[in-house]
Amino acid sequence: MSVQSSNDGQIFNIIRRQGPVSRADIARFTGLTPPTVTNITSKLLDAGLIMDYMIGESSGGRRPLLLKVNPAAGQVIIVHIRTFTMIGYVVDTALNVQFQQAVSIKGLKQEAVLELLLTVIDNCRHAATLSPLAVGVIVRGPVRTQEGISVFAPNIGWKNVPLKYIIEEKKRLPAFIENDSNALAYGEYYFGAARDADNMVLLKVGYGIGGGIMFNGSLYKGINGSAGEIGHTVIDMAGPICSCGNTGCMEAMASETALVDLVLNAIRSGQPSLITSTVAGDLGAVTAEDIYNAADTGDFLAIDMLSRVACYLGIGIANLVNIFNPKLVVISGGLAKASRYIEKTVWDTVARRSFESCSSVLEIRYSTRATENTMKGAADMVFSELAREGKFCL
């Protein structure tokens, strides 16, 4: 038996994401009748795609039997191309990582990164304990997901690279390509900080700033898949030049890169900081992590610059709150590690600069599990597509 109908796929995905879950809850989540749910779950059990887990707690009647996905129902390969690192994973249907390999891409040219991607896919394929069903590749920058094209990956320099075609041609596996912030939005929405939210806006704040917009379980991508480039919304026309060529973008003023620049400029202007001794006077070696560590020791300059970045971040979030009126904003990525130093300033700025009718229902959360939840989000996307296309079969 394979996942063949839309109802089959819907129920399979509910069990993957919500399990352990009862048949009654599946009917409530999907709107399907209890007999339909019973029929489909019986087929999925017979096929070995799901399994009985345990007897749940009673809500007043008979104690329900809970179902969960069978981890052996399938495996996929996920490759996350980060700023300086490429991580390959073999992931099963329960989102357990069965194999992981990390390799450096720092300083590599565009062609070398592509060759390394294909090598990592091969390594994951050899390590998999089941024949992989597909490959998912996560890249920075805009992606045309239907065609599987990396439109522009700023950390690599890729422009209009047809990754889906290349992987499917060379590796004979279905390939799915997605932007890293969108994958993270899925991961936070279904498995992370936003599990209880109907809708949310994600901000991934690292060396750059990306975004993902989730409404009622669907990712808003815009007309050609480019929605969510929140980092390139302008918050100060007189601000510094951004990597995109514009001036005053949120990314140029509120990212980890911007934070490091602020700290370096302050130190070079004569302001004292423990950071100078941390890097033995080599200011070119300063990282955002150094700044977070310095803040933890009470370094005034580090805390002050984090507060300044938080103010810029709050301005950008206020704009999003006024536009989308979300229930939840999740701030993830490296800057989330410094939440204790920025959260009050971020919140105060958002409350001051957005309509009260919007901010009064808003919650802001911080997630420090960006790498893990990006992987989970990407794997979830791939498994969902495979279920939708009827490609699960034992």
Side-chain angles (χ1 to χ4, degrees):
M1 178 261 183
S2 64
V3 174
Q4 295 175 335
S5 73
S6 59
N7 287 343
D8 292 350
Q10 186 181 16
I11 289 178
F12 182 65
N13 285 331
I14 287 289
I15 295 170
R16 280 196 313 103
R17 291 168 174 161
Q18 304 291 338
V21 62
S22 69
R23 288 174 175 82
D25 282 338
I26 294 171
R28 179 168 58 84
F29 290 142
T30 62
L32 298 173
T33 65
T36 298
V37 170
T38 298
N39 180 48
I40 293 175
T41 54
S42 295
K43 292 192 297 181
L44 295 175
L45 282 163
D46 290 343
L49 296 175
I50 62 171
M51 56 198 297
D52 294 330
Y53 178 59
M54 62 180 289
I55 301 297
E57 295 297 322
S58 173
S59 58
R62 182 177 172 183
R63 295 178 67 189
L65 176 63
L66 304 183
L67 304 171
K68 71 173 185 177
V69 71
N70 181 0
Q75 293 179 352
V76 296
I77 296 168
I78 301 297
V79 184
H80 184 183
I81 305 177
R82 304 176 66 190
T83 303
F84 301 121
T85 310
M86 181 185 299
I87 308 176
Y89 305 90
V90 176
V91 186
D92 66 26
T93 41
L95 302 187
N96 300 310
V97 176
Q98 300 295 335
F99 173 79
Q100 179 175 333
Q101 179 189 24
V103 294
S104 174
I105 61 171
K106 191 171 184 178
L108 294 184
K109 296 189 180 297
Q110 302 168 23
E111 297 79 7
V113 175
L114 183 56
E115 287 302 317
L116 187 57
L117 168 62
L118 297 174
T119 299
V120 169
I121 291 172
D122 283 339
N123 294 342
C124 289
R125 196 170 197 169
H126 294 150
T129 56
L130 301 171
S131 181
L133 298 168
V135 177
V137 180
I138 314 160
V139 296
R140 288 185 58 195
V143 170
R144 295 214 302 268
T145 50
Q146 286 192 333
E147 300 97 325
I149 295 173
S150 172
V151 177
F152 175 55
N155 57 318
I156 306 168
W158 281 349
K159 290 184 178 180
N160 295 317
V161 178
L163 292 176
K164 178 179 175 67
Y165 172 80
I166 292 170
I167 294 169
E168 292 184 346
E169 178 72 15
K170 292 183 178 293
K171 303 304 173 187
R172 300 298 176 185
L173 281 170
F176 303 90
I177 318 301
E178 188 52 90
N179 164 269
D180 60 345
S181 296
N182 285 343
L184 178 56
Y186 257 89
E188 295 289 1
Y189 188 86
Y190 286 114
F191 311 106
R195 288 196 71 172
D196 58 344
D198 295 326
N199 60 77
M200 69 106 175
V201 175
L202 169 95
L203 277 174
K204 180 184 179 184
V205 187
Y207 289 101
I209 295 181
I213 306 161
M214 295 288 296
F215 286 105
N216 299 322
S218 295
L219 185 67
Y220 177 73
K221 293 188 174 184
I223 294 174
N224 64 358
S226 295
E229 289 296 333
I230 294 167
H232 298 289
T233 56
V234 176
I235 59 175
D236 184 354
M237 290 178 61
I241 296 176
C242 182
S243 60
C244 71
N246 210 338
T247 57
C249 292
M250 185 193 274
E251 182 171 300
M253 304 187 73
S255 64
E256 287 186 311
T257 302
L259 174 64
V260 171
D261 288 343
L262 285 171
V263 167
L264 293 181
N265 289 337
I267 292 174
R268 286 168 180 151
S269 71
Q271 296 187 47
S273 173
L274 297 173
I275 296 169
T276 305
S277 58
T278 298
V279 296
D282 181 10
L283 296 184
V286 173
T287 66
E289 200 70 35
D290 294 326
I291 299 170
Y292 305 148
N293 291 336
D296 287 341
T297 65
D299 185 78
F300 174 79
L301 178 62
I303 295 171
D304 186 44
M305 292 302 113
L306 279 164
S307 180
R308 186 176 302 186
V309 162
C311 182
Y312 294 139
L313 189 62
I315 293 171
I317 293 173
N319 292 335
L320 297 173
V321 169
N322 284 339
I323 295 169
F324 294 108
N325 188 203
K327 174 181 180 180
L328 176 66
V329 169
V330 174
I331 299 173
S332 189
L335 192 66
K337 299 175 186 176
S339 60
R340 60 184 288 200
Y341 302 109
I342 68 173
E343 57 185 344
K344 184 179 186 306
T345 301
V346 167
W347 177 255
D348 288 347
T349 305
V350 171
R352 187 171 64 252
R353 290 179 172 268
S354 60
F355 282 115
E356 193 274 338
S357 60
C358 295
S359 61
S360 64
V361 296
L362 175 70
E363 183 179 358
I364 299 176
R365 297 178 189 168
Y366 294 80
S367 171
T368 58
R369 305 177 73 174
T371 301
E372 175 187 350
N373 287 334
T374 299
M375 177 275 296
K376 287 183 176 180
D380 179 79
M381 286 178 167
V382 175
F383 283 125
S384 295
E385 281 298 307
L386 292 172
R388 186 182 66 81
E389 296 173 6
K391 292 182 179 177
F392 269 102
C393 187
L394 291 182

